[in-house]
Amino acid sequence: MASPIEEALPENEEDAGLILPESLVASPAHIQPHIATVDFDGLLRTPLRLKEDLSEGCGGKLWPAGMVLARYLLRVYGGPSGEVLRGKKIVDESVPVFHFPVHTSPINTNHASTFRSRQLMLSRSNPSIELGAGGGLVGLALALSNSTLFTTPLYVTDQAPMLALMHENVVLNNLQDVVVPLVLDWGHPPPPSILPGHLDLVLAADCVYFEPAFPLLLQTLQDLAGPETQVLFCFKKRRRADLHFMKKARKLFIVEDVLDDPDRAAYSRENIFL
């Protein structure tokens, strides 16, 4: 049976219409820097404060896939009571849960067929990282939900122009002891403080929008993740090339769709995949 992502791929690229993004992923000039406050409908007991500032690029905006991924993580790891759900089984092992249980080398379909979904949990001994974080929405929301989840750093990373904004948002939420902003350019070695293969979670939202960067993002995912790393990846399909990224990812990783998210039907209608 084809996955929702595979079903969304056109059979004939020449006949497929171009799916235009709402803003071509450009920075809307009319949006002025401001502080947004979000609590994800009560999933955060303390609302997240996030500065949106597009002066250094489109990453300084709250994008829809980031909201979807953050909300899902809050349901898994936290909530209004701040309870730690670490180690709690959230779905039956027979139900596929999307993540990349990443191997640092290509896999074959025979191995994939024997894979059993792992529980989403933090070991507390390894750090976690968000890629293409922009202002840091996903990582900051997760850290704010319960800072005791992390005894090791939660890194939020992006290119150099986003670094000041990430720092500002960390301070806005008083998370300096938990969240560490860093510069990480896809396709380049990670900073020395990040040990490839020793990460609990790799988070990525709205990172699929610029086709020339696809190989660099795939390379970074391969570089960072080890056998126990879980990657949660969420993106909004804006054009057919975005789904080609997932076709390439399936050649390198085991990829499964999240099926246990109660919001799945709603965001699927918006061409968002988790």
Side-chain angles (χ1 to χ4, degrees):
M1 178 180 295
S3 74
I5 294 176
E6 290 170 329
E7 290 173 351
L9 280 168
E11 294 183 3
N12 188 331
E13 292 186 14
E14 295 180 357
D15 296 334
L18 180 65
I19 299 172
L20 295 176
E22 56 271 23
S23 62
L24 293 176
V25 198
S27 301
H30 64 279
I31 298 179
Q32 298 299 315
H34 64 282
I35 305 296
T37 302
V38 291
D39 69 356
F40 300 92
D41 298 325
L43 288 173
L44 277 178
R45 180 174 52 185
T46 301
L48 175 68
R49 302 182 68 212
L50 207 75
K51 182 177 181 180
E52 291 190 88
D53 185 352
L54 295 163
S55 61
E56 295 295 339
C58 62
K61 179 181 182 298
L62 297 180
W63 290 98
M67 297 293 288
V68 168
L69 179 54
R71 188 185 300 271
Y72 179 73
L73 286 166
L74 292 177
R75 287 197 172 106
V76 173
Y77 289 114
S81 65
E83 294 177 353
V84 180
L85 302 186
R86 180 180 57 257
K88 178 178 178 181
K89 187 173 182 178
I90 61 169
V91 291
D92 187 85
E93 287 187 343
S94 64
V95 178
V97 179
F98 177 92
H99 52 277
F100 296 142
V102 182
H103 298 256
T104 54
S105 59
I107 61 171
N108 59 50
T109 55
N110 290 332
H111 178 78
S113 66
T114 63
F115 175 78
R116 298 185 70 196
S117 299
R118 299 171 182 159
Q119 299 172 30
L120 292 174
M121 63 175 66
L122 295 173
S123 71
R124 293 174 60 89
S125 61
N126 295 323
S128 297
I129 188 171
E130 180 184 0
L131 301 178
L137 167 68
V138 177
L140 289 171
L142 180 57
L144 189 62
S145 68
N146 195 323
S147 60
T148 62
L149 284 171
F150 300 97
T151 58
T152 53
L154 170 59
Y155 297 107
V156 291
T157 68
D158 209 311
Q159 294 181 304
M162 291 290 105
L163 185 61
L165 182 61
M166 290 190 292
H167 272 292
E168 188 169 350
N169 285 330
V170 169
V171 173
L172 271 175
N173 294 280
N174 196 29
L175 290 170
Q176 300 94 312
D177 293 336
V178 181
V179 181
V180 179
L182 291 175
V183 172
L184 175 56
D185 294 315
W186 300 341
H188 292 265
S193 57
I194 299 176
L195 297 177
H198 295 83
L199 295 166
D200 274 348
L201 290 175
V202 176
L203 309 172
D206 277 311
C207 289
V208 176
Y209 58 87
F210 184 54
E211 191 170 2
F214 290 178
L216 304 178
L217 177 54
L218 287 169
Q219 183 61 56
T220 293
L221 289 170
Q222 286 184 279
D223 290 344
L224 289 177
E228 300 304 318
T229 302
Q230 298 179 85
V231 180
L232 284 168
F233 195 94
C234 188
F235 73 101
K236 179 178 175 67
K237 182 188 71 175
R238 295 178 171 89
R239 54 200 180 95
R240 63 175 179 264
D242 298 345
L243 292 177
H244 295 162
F245 172 87
M246 295 308 302
K247 289 187 69 175
K248 293 176 182 178
R250 289 181 185 279
K251 296 178 181 178
L252 299 171
F253 310 111
I254 301 169
V255 179
E256 297 179 334
D257 302 295
V258 164
L259 300 178
D260 67 320
D261 191 340
D263 293 332
R264 184 172 180 266
Y267 60 69
S268 294
R269 290 193 292 269
E270 302 297 323
N271 289 318
I272 294 176
F273 297 89
L274 173 60

